[in-house]
Amino acid sequence: MTYEEIFNKVKDMFKDADVSNVKEKLAYQFNITGEGEGAFYAEVKDGKLSIEPYEYFDRDALFICSGETLMKILSGKQDPVAAFTLGKLKVEGSIDKALKIKELMK
């Protein structure tokens, strides 16, 4: 997959995400490695989710993985904790806030 395909698929997967119950600001950057390499961010602020194709330096957590791993996690085919344990997913920054990403995946 190309970076554009990955980004558009992620954006489409989250287009109907209900973040109205998320009361704090959450900012995540995703660095895709290998095929489709690139970066994008997702931010929840004031009850709205934004996903944009830019780096985000004021982030709470940074997720680093291949596009394939990201797609497996988002589709429920790969447990993110297992991916982390196996070294397929790296996380930098606030682990507490990183774990809150599950609220967006419901």
Side-chain angles (χ1 to χ4, degrees):
M1 294 180 93
T2 66
Y3 169 77
E4 290 79 15
E5 290 171 329
I6 293 168
F7 175 75
N8 288 329
K9 189 161 187 157
V10 169
K11 197 163 183 168
D12 188 56
M13 291 172 94
F14 284 99
K15 73 177 183 222
D16 296 323
D18 180 11
V19 296
S20 60
N21 61 336
V22 179
K23 301 301 178 200
E24 64 186 305
K25 177 184 163 286
L26 298 173
Y28 303 114
Q29 181 170 318
F30 297 84
N31 284 7
I32 305 303
T33 60
E35 184 181 349
E37 183 174 331
F40 63 91
Y41 75 88
E43 178 184 54
V44 177
K45 185 176 177 182
D46 300 326
K48 294 181 183 170
L49 173 64
S50 300
I51 300 175
E52 299 296 335
Y54 311 110
E55 290 191 51
Y56 194 87
F57 296 103
D58 188 23
R59 60 187 175 247
D60 298 309
L62 169 65
F63 299 96
I64 305 166
C65 63
S66 68
E68 178 183 8
T69 297
L70 180 61
M71 289 299 113
K72 285 181 180 178
I73 291 170
L74 295 178
S75 66
K77 295 177 182 174
Q78 170 80 62
D79 178 67
V81 175
F84 178 80
T85 304
L86 294 170
K88 293 182 176 185
L89 172 67
K90 294 178 184 172
V91 181
E92 296 177 5
S94 170
I95 297 300
D96 288 339
K97 288 208 174 185
L99 291 170
K100 292 184 180 191
I101 198 167
K102 288 184 177 184
E103 294 176 32
L104 307 181
M105 297 172 63
K106 293 179 182 176

